[in-house]
């Protein structure tokens, strides 16, 4: 579990999940505020049960919010949303919601334009809890494809973990720099700017999980 080396265990993982949700929200807010283009889109790869499109107000300034995950996850999620809608408890999304089923090990995000994705529109990419579950070659391919689909001003929020079996964040930095991205930040959970009152102040920052951000030149 994240933070296991400093004794946080399962509780630490729950707190980490809450903090990373807030971190991504702040990044989306800032990107929307800083980007002058009229057309913007947000793509969450490996979206899981994310529901930001219903409550993150800065998404009102974007055209579309893309939720991409495996068919089993997306069908389970849609059933919950349909039940809420039937009960009159589902609010209207702040922008167009695009729900796409995809297996990242067998399918390509190059298929996204078939669903209306525009590679000419600045895109905020969310990769939260995704690449640590993919093979090295899959991560490399995903970074290359994501880069080809991203125009100037696009932003990438990349959740990573330190593991001897996965592509290191330094290797990913090199891949993305070669694809025209500028590294903006790297924060480990527990460092300043990635705490949000969810990390014990007396503990050193964890050395396992963090976020790196990049902006397309």
């Amino acid at each position: 579990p994240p933070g296991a080396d400093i004794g946080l265990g399962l509780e630490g993982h729950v707190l980490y999940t809450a903090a990373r949700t807030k971190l991504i929200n702040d990044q989306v807010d800032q990107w929307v505020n800083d980007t002058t283009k009229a057309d913007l889109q947000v793509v969450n790869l490996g979206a899981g049960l994310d529901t930001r499109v219903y409550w993150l107000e800065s998404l009102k300034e974007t055209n579309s919010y893309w939720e991409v995950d495996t068919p089993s996850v997306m069908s389970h999620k849609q059933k919950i949303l349909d039940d809420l809608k039937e009960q009159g408890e589902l609010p209207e999304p702040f922008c167009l919601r695009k729900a796409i089923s995809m297996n990242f090990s067998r399918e390509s995000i190059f298929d996204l334009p078939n669903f209306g994705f525009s590679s000419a529109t600045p895109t905020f990419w969310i990769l939260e809890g995704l690449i640590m579950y993919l093979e090295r070659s899959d991560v490399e391919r995903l970074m290359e494809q994501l880069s080809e689909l991203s125009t100037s001003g696009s932003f990438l929020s990349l959740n990573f973990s330190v593991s001897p079996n996965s592509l290191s964040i330094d290797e990913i930095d090199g891949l993305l720099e070669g694809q025209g991205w500028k590294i903006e930040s790297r924060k480990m959970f527990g460092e300043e700017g990635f705490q949000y009152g969810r990390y014990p102040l007396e503990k050193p920052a964890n050395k396992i999980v963090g976020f790196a951000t990049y902006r397309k030149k």
Side-chain angles (χ1 to χ4, degrees):
D5 58 322
I6 55 172
L8 293 184
L10 178 60
E11 181 185 2
H13 184 74
V14 173
L15 296 174
Y16 155 69
T17 302
R20 76 183 189 184
T21 298
K22 174 61 174 169
L23 179 68
I24 294 171
N25 294 348
D26 287 352
Q27 292 171 351
V28 172
D29 290 347
Q30 189 65 54
W31 178 74
V32 169
N33 185 64
D34 291 345
T35 306
T36 57
K37 296 287 183 68
D39 296 333
L40 301 173
Q41 60 195 358
V42 180
V43 178
N44 192 337
L45 299 179
L49 301 184
D50 170 39
T51 56
R52 282 186 179 87
V53 72
Y54 297 104
W55 53 263
L56 186 60
E57 292 201 15
S58 59
L59 294 176
K60 293 177 181 178
E61 307 302 321
T62 69
N63 293 347
S64 55
Y65 189 87
W66 297 69
E67 301 169 4
V68 185
D69 213 315
T70 61
S72 60
V73 170
M74 296 306 292
S75 62
H76 171 69
K77 179 177 182 177
Q78 192 59 50
K79 183 181 184 304
I80 295 173
L81 294 176
D82 289 343
D83 289 345
L84 289 171
K85 186 174 183 178
E86 185 176 341
Q87 297 163 21
E89 297 179 2
L90 185 68
E92 289 297 316
F94 285 149
C95 63
L96 177 64
R97 175 179 177 255
K98 302 281 283 189
I100 309 297
S101 296
M102 183 178 294
N103 187 312
F104 296 106
S105 294
R106 297 199 302 266
E107 297 177 270
S108 166
I109 62 171
F110 278 153
D111 293 325
L112 289 178
N114 297 332
F115 299 96
F117 175 89
S118 171
S119 59
T121 298
T123 304
F124 189 110
W125 298 92
I126 301 173
L127 274 65
E128 176 186 13
L130 174 62
I131 65 168
M132 54 283 291
Y133 300 108
L134 302 178
E135 299 293 333
R136 292 174 61 93
S137 59
D138 293 330
V139 175
E140 291 173 348
R141 185 174 69 251
L142 180 59
M143 294 301 107
E144 292 170 359
Q145 294 173 346
L146 182 151
S147 297
E148 191 165 335
L149 290 172
S150 299
T151 190
S152 175
S154 294
F155 193 92
L156 169 59
S157 180
L158 180 67
N159 184 202
F160 67 89
S161 65
V162 177
S163 168
N165 300 320
S166 63
L167 204 65
S168 74
I169 190 60
D170 290 331
E171 290 175 303
I172 292 174
D173 284 352
L175 280 175
L176 290 173
E177 282 188 299
Q179 297 289 334
W181 295 86
K182 177 184 177 183
I183 303 169
E184 292 214 332
S185 69
R186 185 188 298 183
K187 296 181 184 295
M188 304 303 289
F189 181 43
E191 290 184 338
E192 184 177 357
F194 189 10
Q195 296 173 335
Y196 299 105
R198 298 296 186 270
Y199 198 90
L201 296 179
E202 72 278 7
K203 295 281 190 179
N206 98 104
K207 299 178 181 180
I208 301 173
V209 290
F211 271 81
T213 60
Y214 311 83
R215 191 179 299 271
K216 190 72 181 290
K217 300 174 185 176

